[in-house]
Amino acid sequence: MDVPSLAFRTDLALARLAGSEVDDRGDHVVVRTPDNPDYYWGNYLLLPRPPTAAELPDWEAAFVRTFPRSRHRAYGVATADGTRDDLAAFADAGMEADASSVMTATAVYEPPRPNRDATYRPLAGDDDWAQQVALWSDSEDDRVHHDFVVAKVAAERRMTETGDGAWWGAFLGGRLLSSMGLVAASPGLARFQQVQTHPDARGRGLAGTLVHRVSRYGFEELGAHTLVMVADPEYLAIRIYRSVGFEDTETQLQAQRRPA
């Protein structure tokens, strides 16, 4: 299936690196993560275009056939643009519909107020990765299960072991307060993953400084000429990414339903 979306093309490449199964069935793509079946965006269907209300029941039936034990629903749309209005069939069926900004950069610069107190480096060793689990848990809401976080961080660590990228952290006093991954998705193209900052450390310039440092790593060590970042257009973090040189270029369309 043709996938015009830069966000989903990089998503699929990174899913393979993380050990997920990616199955192109011609009229849609199945992404499956047997090690973490509760991970919505590791177990989803990628559709060629937004379905109509009349088409959605067939996709729902396909999802159930593909993931018979899953209690969630998760759908991506392979187009490179669109709005939430294009996801009306999902929204009318009670799902969360999201249109995220796909941002790219071919050069970066320091944020207006860089944080020079922290240490910025790749995660390395069991203690760093245990802190990553804790940061994940502290940064997400109460609906995120600990077992899911452990499995997700284990997948992140596996991706770094391939040599195709790294997870970086901002440390103060040895404590991990902000982290993000950057992984090569294809020659010349690298994708940011899971940008997060501890709630008590936000507003201190850690994330912006870390994005700048990690971007330099992408250009200088991964050999990337384009970096890709996906962000919520309504969340304040998008201003951080713009402040170091990222620009909005596409839209990623997704819909999900959490378990009751």
Side-chain angles (χ1 to χ4, degrees), residues 111-129:
R113 291 180 295 277
N115 183 306
R116 305 195 191 281
D117 298 325
T119 298
Y120 303 91
R121 61 171 177 80
L123 303 189
D126 293 342
D127 180 68
D128 284 0
W129 288 103

Side-chain angles (χ1 to χ4, degrees), residues 26 29 40 65-66 69 87 92 94 103 113 127 133 150 154-155 159 172 180 190 194 205 227 248:
V29 176
Y40 305 160
R65 288 194 303 271
T66 306
R69 296 184 180 181
L87 302 174
D92 291 344
M103 312 181 78
R113 291 180 295 277
D127 180 68
V133 171
V150 170
M159 279 202 283
L172 277 170
M180 59 194 67
Q194 202 59 42
L227 306 179
D248 304 67

Side-chain angles (χ1 to χ4, degrees), residues 205-224:
L206 292 170
T209 308
L210 187 57
V211 170
H212 175 248
R213 296 287 185 89
V214 177
S215 295
R216 285 171 46 197
Y217 155 78
F219 292 131
E220 296 167 8
E221 297 188 39
L222 292 182

Side-chain angles (χ1 to χ4, degrees), residues 53-67:
E55 293 168 335
L56 184 56
D58 289 338
W59 287 120
E60 286 276 69
F63 193 99
V64 172
R65 288 194 303 271
T66 306
F67 304 104

Side-chain angles (χ1 to χ4, degrees), residues 22-107:
V22 178
D23 180 12
D24 187 340
R25 299 189 175 178
D27 63 341
H28 69 288
V29 176
V30 174
V31 177
R32 190 194 313 270
T33 307
D35 291 344
N36 198 357
D38 294 329
Y39 177 29
Y40 305 160
W41 297 106
N43 299 277
Y44 68 96
L45 300 185
L46 179 61
L47 312 185
R49 56 177 176 77
T52 65
E55 293 168 335
L56 184 56
D58 289 338
W59 287 120
E60 286 276 69
F63 193 99
V64 172
R65 288 194 303 271
T66 306
F67 304 104
R69 296 184 180 181
S70 293
R71 296 181 298 124
H72 74 276
R73 296 288 186 272
Y75 299 94
V77 178
T79 55
D81 53 19
T83 69
R84 276 198 181 95
D85 290 342
D86 296 308
L87 302 174
F90 292 115
D92 291 344
M95 298 190 206
E96 303 169 50
D98 290 306
S100 299
S101 290
V102 182
M103 312 181 78
T104 58
T106 55

Side-chain angles (χ1 to χ4, degrees), residues 103 111-112 208 231-233 235-246:
M103 312 181 78
D232 182 344
Y235 188 56
L236 56 86
I238 197 168
R239 291 180 293 177
I240 296 173
Y241 312 143
R242 290 172 178 152
S243 76
V244 298
F246 281 82

Side-chain angles (χ1 to χ4, degrees), residues 38 40 71 96 137 140-146 148-149 256 258-259:
D38 294 329
Y40 305 160
R71 296 181 298 124
E96 303 169 50
S137 300
E140 299 291 336
D141 60 38
D142 293 337
R143 291 175 291 185
V144 178
H145 194 276
H146 179 72
F148 160 79
V149 174
Q256 68 177 29
R258 303 172 188 263

